[in-house]
Amino acid sequence: MVHVWLWDLLLILICSILFLLQAEPLDESSVKKMILTFEKRAYKNQELRIKFPENPEKFMESELDLNDIIQEMHVVATMPDLYHLLVELNAVQSLIGLLKLTDIDTLHESEEGAEVLIDALLDGQVVALLVQNLERLDESVKEEADGVHNTLAIIENLAEFRPEMCTEAAQQGLMQWMLKRIKAKMPFDANKLYCSEILAILLQNNDANRELLGEQEGIDVLLQQLSVFKRHNPSTNEEFEMMENLFDSLCSCLMLSSNRDRFLKGEGLQLMNLMLREKKMSRASALKVLDHAVIGPEGSDNCHKFVDILGLRTIFPLFMKTPKKMKKAGMTEKEHEEHVCSILSSMLRNLKGQQRTRLLNKFTENDCEKVDRLMELHFKYLEAVQVADKKIEGEKHDMVRQGEIIDDDMEDEFYLRRLDAGLFVLQLVCYIMVEICNANIPQIRQRVHQILNMRGGSTKVVRHIMREYTENIGDGKTDEYKEAEQKRILDLLEHF
């Protein structure tokens, strides 16, 4: 049996003019003639494509002819009673073949031609029409479930070829449909995995879509779906991949301050705290989400709430020792230590009053064992950075000897390499060190200086690292923020 939605979808995708025109009604004879013309032009285009695969100019004229007849055929999409002619005249395979035009590899074969096709599809609000079709599909029927998967593939290909279309796509109903599909009470399957992948793509570097997701209560949807993994590990690799996609989407959304409030009200902190304690596969990603939730001045409310829900009892054991299971969950030792140190530095920056006192008191427990751990991390990452610096200096020396100029772009690249080698974690550790030494708790200050002296370290090195940090602070922030933050850190250094 031929499903009406399939022909509707095929025609919608193929048509380069996708909104309805005020055309005269067609009869069977006209449609037959149109389909036969389409078949001839599609065959000729395919023949030339095969004959001249490396020379698009040779088949461009046939492509334009094909485009013309496709534009004429769009009206058939509004006449379901004539769909049977598509089957009787064997036009189906040609139509399906044309769907492959949206495959990303095919699009890149001839970018100029692809631009024309993509422009036409987007001008016709193709995503809105695709979403209308998705709404009608019953995924309990295999063919229709396959239709959903193929539709998502088309959307993914369009997004990869034209990333800027993601904002319009989300606003044309795609975001709403995705959230509805992700939270649908259905067994886990390939379509749910695919939805999670595309959702992550829609949110990547896109504040408009992050805001839209928040407005459509998407933060709650993500938290509800992730709560399943609080006490249970994903049962398959595919389900693990979906879980990671949802965590990535949540992290992306938390880049927006308005979503931090939604996360707080939706008890996201409580869920992350439980995940960190339960020691399941979700723990590594929960740590990453917590880092995104508390970072920067926008994370102040989340910092205070985390202390209130006894989060310090959760985070400090992770600070004292990197769990082996983190590696199994795909997080390296360095990534784990970076997230934990980032969370502690955010709390030291944001906490006030009683909550700040509770945090600082943690560093005095058990004969300042947490200060000892902090200093251990300091020397670990200082050594890693020194190794990287030595290698970079060698490269610079060779470049100068060969007469190459080390410009600002090259210096930025070297700095990024140093950050990746461990400088970023070292900066976080030094920041924590400076903050706790300025807390008027003599035993902390004494312990820090004692260990620095014992291991041949110096406050001079710490000052240098922090000054370099202040020079590179606040990318993407306002000048006022940068200046205020630089002054605050330099004031801390004065009393270190």
Side-chain angles (χ1 to χ4, degrees):
M1 178 182 172
V2 176
H3 291 282
V4 168
W5 68 265
L6 177 58
W7 310 130
D8 199 8
L9 175 60
L10 289 169
L11 286 167
I12 285 168
L13 287 170
I14 295 167
C15 296
S16 53
I17 298 179
L18 295 161
F19 37 95
L20 299 178
L21 303 177
Q22 300 299 316
E24 291 296 318
L26 296 180
D27 56 20
E28 282 202 17
S29 176
S30 310
V31 173
K32 281 182 180 181
K33 184 179 177 182
M34 192 184 293
I35 291 173
L36 289 171
T37 303
F38 161 73
E39 278 289 308
K40 287 177 184 176
R41 293 184 184 180
Y43 178 77
K44 183 180 179 182
N45 176 253
Q46 189 65 25
E47 191 177 40
L48 290 172
R49 273 176 164 268
I50 293 169
K51 192 174 179 181
F52 305 105
E54 306 298 328
N55 195 351
E57 292 81 5
K58 295 283 187 179
F59 56 78
M60 189 58 72
E61 187 177 345
S62 71
E63 207 131 289
L64 293 172
D65 290 340
L66 181 60
N67 180 64
D68 290 341
I69 190 63
I70 285 171
Q71 290 190 36
E72 291 179 39
M73 284 178 68
H74 83 281
V75 73
V76 181
T78 67
M79 305 172 71
D81 56 313
L82 298 179
Y83 286 175
H84 67 94
L85 295 174
L86 294 167
V87 181
E88 291 167 10
L89 296 172
N90 296 315
V92 176
Q93 290 306 313
S94 299
L95 289 168
I96 291 174
L98 286 177
L99 273 180
K100 293 176 184 175
L101 289 173
T102 62
D103 179 79
I104 195 65
D105 294 330
T106 307
L107 290 175
H108 284 299
E109 283 177 14
S110 173
E111 298 212 359
E112 186 179 342
E115 289 283 352
V116 175
L117 174 64
I118 299 299
D119 284 340
L121 290 169
L122 296 179
D123 287 347
Q125 294 197 318
V126 65
V127 178
L129 293 164
L130 288 172
V131 171
Q132 287 174 22
N133 277 282
L134 286 169
E135 293 281 7
R136 291 187 291 171
L137 301 184
D138 177 4
E139 290 186 64
S140 63
V141 179
K142 184 185 181 303
E143 292 84 356
E144 301 199 14
D146 290 344
V148 170
H149 197 274
N150 292 334
T151 303
L152 294 175
I154 292 161
I155 292 169
E156 182 186 25
N157 290 334
L158 292 172
E160 187 174 339
F161 193 80
R162 186 73 63 78
E164 59 270 26
M165 61 81 70
C166 287
T167 304
E168 288 181 28
Q171 291 169 348
Q172 288 174 21
L174 183 60
M175 180 71 76
Q176 191 171 22
W177 183 86
M178 299 279 268
L179 292 172
K180 180 181 172 184
R181 177 60 180 84
I182 284 170
K183 73 176 182 179
K185 292 184 178 179
M186 297 166 63
F188 172 77
D189 62 2
N191 283 350
K192 187 167 185 178
L193 171 60
Y194 213 164
C195 280
S196 71
E197 289 174 8
I198 294 177
L199 182 63
I201 291 169
L202 289 178
L203 297 169
Q204 197 171 22
N205 302 318
N206 193 315
D207 279 349
N209 284 354
R210 292 164 179 168
E211 181 63 43
L212 182 62
L213 180 138
E215 290 170 354
Q216 295 182 352
E217 299 182 355
I219 300 294
D220 283 343
V221 172
L222 292 173
L223 291 173
Q224 287 163 11
Q225 292 303 305
L226 287 169
S227 66
V228 175
F229 305 108
K230 178 174 58 182
R231 293 192 172 92
H232 302 284
N233 283 330
S235 54
T236 63
N237 289 337
E238 288 75 18
E239 194 173 16
F240 176 79
E241 189 181 340
M242 182 203 70
M243 179 187 78
E244 290 293 283
N245 289 334
L246 296 180
F247 270 121
D248 287 345
S249 295
L250 188 54
C251 286
S252 190
C253 288
L254 290 174
M255 302 290 283
L256 210 61
S257 58
S258 56
N259 283 332
R260 305 261 187 113
D261 295 333
R262 295 176 178 117
F263 177 80
L264 179 63
K265 290 171 184 172
E267 299 190 347
L269 285 169
Q270 287 89 329
L271 177 60
M272 298 306 119
N273 194 32
L274 286 169
M275 285 178 165
L276 291 173
R277 290 183 180 181
E278 285 291 335
K279 304 178 183 178
K280 298 295 182 185
M281 293 174 77
S282 58
R283 179 163 65 166
S285 292
L287 186 69
K288 189 165 62 173
V289 169
L290 179 60
D291 188 6
H292 280 76
V294 299
I295 202 166
E298 304 89 353
S300 180
D301 289 344
N302 281 315
C303 283
H304 285 85
K305 183 66 175 179
F306 189 66
V307 176
D308 291 343
I309 63 172
L310 307 180
L312 297 181
R313 294 182 187 178
T314 307
I315 200 66
F316 272 106
L318 295 172
F319 172 69
M320 293 300 293
K321 185 179 180 182
T322 302
K324 291 178 181 177
K325 284 189 178 179
M326 283 293 181
K327 295 173 188 175
K328 292 181 183 176
M331 182 176 282
T332 66
E333 187 176 282
K334 178 171 153 292
E335 288 170 334
H336 168 84
E337 289 164 0
E338 179 182 314
H339 286 305
V340 173
C341 289
S342 178
I343 290 164
L344 291 177
S345 66
S346 293
M347 290 200 289
L348 283 164
R349 187 205 183 284
N350 288 325
L351 289 176
K352 305 281 188 269
Q354 184 186 5
Q355 284 99 334
R356 180 177 174 80
T357 303
R358 286 165 66 181
L359 173 61
L360 290 167
N361 286 340
K362 282 286 180 182
F363 286 94
T364 66
E365 290 177 354
N366 299 325
D367 192 27
C368 295
E369 65 175 5
K370 296 171 184 67
V371 177
D372 294 348
R373 171 62 171 162
L374 183 70
M375 301 310 293
E376 178 188 328
L377 291 172
H378 170 71
F379 287 105
K380 172 183 175 179
Y381 285 101
L382 179 61
E383 183 180 349
V385 172
Q386 287 170 342
V387 170
D389 284 347
K390 190 174 181 180
K391 187 176 180 182
I392 288 170
E393 285 305 315
E395 290 179 27
K396 284 184 176 180
H397 179 73
D398 291 342
M399 289 172 70
V400 171
R401 194 173 58 185
Q402 293 167 15
E404 293 184 46
I405 298 173
I406 302 174
D407 57 16
D408 289 343
D409 288 343
M410 189 63 71
E411 288 288 3
D412 288 343
E413 187 180 324
F414 283 136
Y415 184 67
L416 289 173
R417 276 176 56 186
R418 295 176 67 223
L419 288 173
D420 190 54
L423 178 60
F424 183 58
V425 188
L426 181 61
Q427 290 170 342
L428 292 169
V429 168
C430 288
Y431 176 77
I432 294 169
M433 196 190 305
V434 171
E435 276 275 19
I436 63 177
C437 283
N438 275 275
N440 294 321
I441 303 176
Q443 65 198 99
I444 291 179
R445 184 191 291 260
Q446 289 166 9
R447 190 59 154 256
V448 168
H449 287 280
Q450 179 189 9
I451 295 172
L452 281 174
N453 292 332
M454 282 173 57
R455 297 193 55 176
S458 73
T459 56
K460 186 178 178 181
V461 171
V462 177
R463 290 173 191 274
H464 172 73
I465 292 164
M466 290 313 297
R467 286 199 177 97
E468 184 181 32
Y469 170 69
T470 58
E471 289 169 9
N472 293 279
I473 205 168
D475 287 343
K477 302 288 185 180
T478 62
D479 290 340
E480 291 83 359
Y481 171 84
K482 287 176 68 172
E483 288 173 13
E485 194 66 3
Q486 285 169 344
K487 183 179 183 304
R488 191 179 70 81
I489 292 171
L490 292 173
D491 285 345
L492 287 172
L493 285 179
E494 284 296 315
H495 301 95
F496 177 56

Coordinates of all heavy atoms in Angstrom, one line a residue, residues 8 99 123 133-134 185 199 228 247-248 264 285 312 332 342 349 362 367 382 398 416 424 469 488:
D8 N 3.5 13.0 -0.5 CA 3.5 14.4 -0.1 C 4.9 14.9 0.3 O 5.3 16.0 -0.1 CB 2.5 14.5 1.1 CG 2.0 16.0 1.3 OD1 2.3 16.8 0.5 OD2 1.4 16.2 2.3
L99 N 15.5 12.7 -3.9 CA 15.7 12.9 -2.5 C 17.2 12.9 -2.1 O 17.6 13.5 -1.1 CB 14.9 11.9 -1.7 CG 13.5 12.2 -1.4 CD1 12.8 11.1 -0.6 CD2 13.3 13.6 -0.7
D123 N 13.6 29.0 1.3 CA 12.6 30.0 0.9 C 11.2 29.6 1.0 O 10.3 30.3 1.3 CB 12.9 30.6 -0.5 CG 14.2 31.4 -0.5 OD1 14.7 31.8 0.6 OD2 14.6 31.7 -1.6
N133 N 4.4 17.2 8.3 CA 4.4 15.7 7.9 C 4.8 14.9 9.1 O 4.2 13.8 9.4 CB 5.4 15.5 6.8 CG 4.7 15.8 5.4 OD1 4.0 15.0 4.9 ND2 5.1 16.9 4.9
L134 N 5.8 15.3 9.9 CA 6.2 14.5 11.1 C 5.1 14.4 12.0 O 4.9 13.4 12.7 CB 7.4 15.2 11.7 CG 8.8 15.1 11.0 CD1 9.8 16.1 11.7 CD2 9.3 13.7 11.1
K185 N 6.3 8.9 25.6 CA 6.5 7.7 26.3 C 6.5 6.5 25.4 O 5.5 5.8 25.2 CB 5.3 7.5 27.4 CG 5.4 8.5 28.5 CD 4.4 8.3 29.5 CE 4.5 9.4 30.7 NZ 3.5 9.2 31.7
L199 N 18.9 17.9 18.2 CA 18.7 18.9 19.2 C 20.0 19.6 19.6 O 20.1 20.8 19.7 CB 18.0 18.3 20.4 CG 17.6 19.3 21.5 CD1 16.6 20.3 21.0 CD2 17.0 18.5 22.7
V228 N 16.2 9.5 34.4 CA 16.2 8.1 34.3 C 17.5 7.5 34.6 O 17.6 6.4 35.1 CB 15.7 7.7 32.9 CG1 15.8 6.2 32.7 CG2 14.3 8.2 32.6
F247 N 22.8 15.6 27.7 CA 23.7 16.4 28.6 C 24.3 17.5 27.9 O 24.4 18.7 28.4 CB 24.7 15.5 29.2 CG 24.3 14.8 30.5 CD1 24.3 13.4 30.6 CD2 24.0 15.5 31.6 CE1 24.0 12.8 31.8 CE2 23.6 14.9 32.8 CZ 23.6 13.5 32.9
D248 N 24.8 17.3 26.7 CA 25.4 18.3 25.9 C 24.4 19.5 25.6 O 24.8 20.7 25.6 CB 26.0 17.8 24.5 CG 27.2 16.9 24.7 OD1 27.8 17.0 25.8 OD2 27.6 16.2 23.8
L264 N 17.6 26.1 37.9 CA 17.5 26.2 39.4 C 16.1 25.9 39.8 O 15.9 25.1 40.7 CB 17.9 27.6 39.8 CG 17.8 27.9 41.3 CD1 18.8 27.1 42.1 CD2 18.1 29.4 41.5
S285 N 29.1 13.4 33.2 CA 28.4 14.5 32.5 C 27.6 15.4 33.5 O 27.5 16.6 33.2 CB 27.4 13.9 31.5 OG 28.1 13.3 30.4
L312 N 28.5 20.5 49.0 CA 30.0 20.4 49.4 C 30.4 19.0 49.8 O 31.5 18.6 49.5 CB 30.3 21.4 50.5 CG 30.0 22.9 50.2 CD1 30.4 23.8 51.4 CD2 30.8 23.4 49.0
T332 N 38.5 12.2 30.9 CA 39.9 12.0 31.3 C 40.1 12.5 32.7 O 39.3 13.3 33.2 CB 40.9 12.7 30.3 OG1 40.7 14.1 30.4 CG2 40.6 12.2 28.9
S342 N 37.1 24.2 38.5 CA 36.3 25.3 38.0 C 35.1 25.5 38.9 O 34.7 26.7 39.1 CB 35.9 24.9 36.5 OG 35.0 26.0 36.0
R349 N 34.3 32.6 44.0 CA 34.0 33.9 43.5 C 32.6 34.4 43.8 O 32.4 35.6 44.1 CB 34.1 33.8 41.9 CG 34.0 35.2 41.3 CD 33.5 35.1 39.8 NE 33.5 36.4 39.2 CZ 32.6 37.3 39.5 NH1 31.6 37.1 40.3 NH2 32.6 38.5 38.9
K362 N 35.9 24.0 54.9 CA 36.2 22.7 54.3 C 37.7 22.5 54.1 O 38.3 21.4 54.2 CB 35.5 22.5 53.0 CG 34.0 22.1 53.1 CD 33.9 20.7 53.5 CE 32.4 20.3 53.7 NZ 32.3 18.9 54.2
D367 N 43.2 18.4 59.3 CA 44.6 19.0 59.2 C 44.9 19.5 57.8 O 45.9 19.2 57.2 CB 45.6 17.9 59.6 CG 47.0 18.5 59.8 OD1 47.1 19.7 60.2 OD2 48.0 17.7 59.6
L382 N 51.8 22.5 37.0 CA 52.9 23.4 36.8 C 54.0 22.7 36.0 O 54.6 23.2 35.0 CB 53.5 23.9 38.1 CG 54.7 24.9 38.0 CD1 54.4 26.1 37.2 CD2 55.3 25.2 39.4
D398 N 63.4 27.8 16.5 CA 63.6 27.3 15.1 C 63.0 28.2 14.1 O 63.5 28.4 13.0 CB 63.0 25.9 15.0 CG 63.8 24.9 15.8 OD1 64.9 25.1 16.2 OD2 63.2 23.8 16.1
L416 N 46.9 28.8 23.2 CA 45.8 27.7 23.3 C 46.4 26.4 23.5 O 45.9 25.5 24.3 CB 45.0 27.7 22.0 CG 44.1 28.9 21.7 CD1 43.5 28.8 20.3 CD2 43.0 28.9 22.7
F424 N 45.2 25.9 31.8 CA 43.9 26.4 32.3 C 43.6 25.8 33.7 O 43.2 26.5 34.6 CB 42.8 25.9 31.4 CG 41.4 26.4 31.8 CD1 41.2 27.8 32.0 CD2 40.4 25.5 32.0 CE1 39.9 28.2 32.4 CE2 39.1 25.9 32.4 CZ 38.9 27.3 32.6
Y469 N 46.7 35.2 33.5 CA 45.3 34.9 33.4 C 44.4 36.1 33.3 O 43.5 36.2 32.4 CB 44.9 34.1 34.7 CG 43.4 33.9 34.8 CD1 42.7 33.0 34.0 CD2 42.7 34.5 35.8 CE1 41.3 32.8 34.1 CE2 41.3 34.3 36.0 CZ 40.7 33.5 35.1 OH 39.3 33.3 35.3
R488 N 39.7 43.0 40.6 CA 39.5 42.1 41.8 C 40.6 41.1 42.0 O 41.0 40.9 43.1 CB 38.1 41.4 41.6 CG 37.6 40.7 42.8 CD 36.2 40.0 42.4 NE 36.4 38.9 41.5 CZ 36.8 37.7 42.0 NH1 37.0 37.4 43.2 NH2 36.9 36.7 41.1

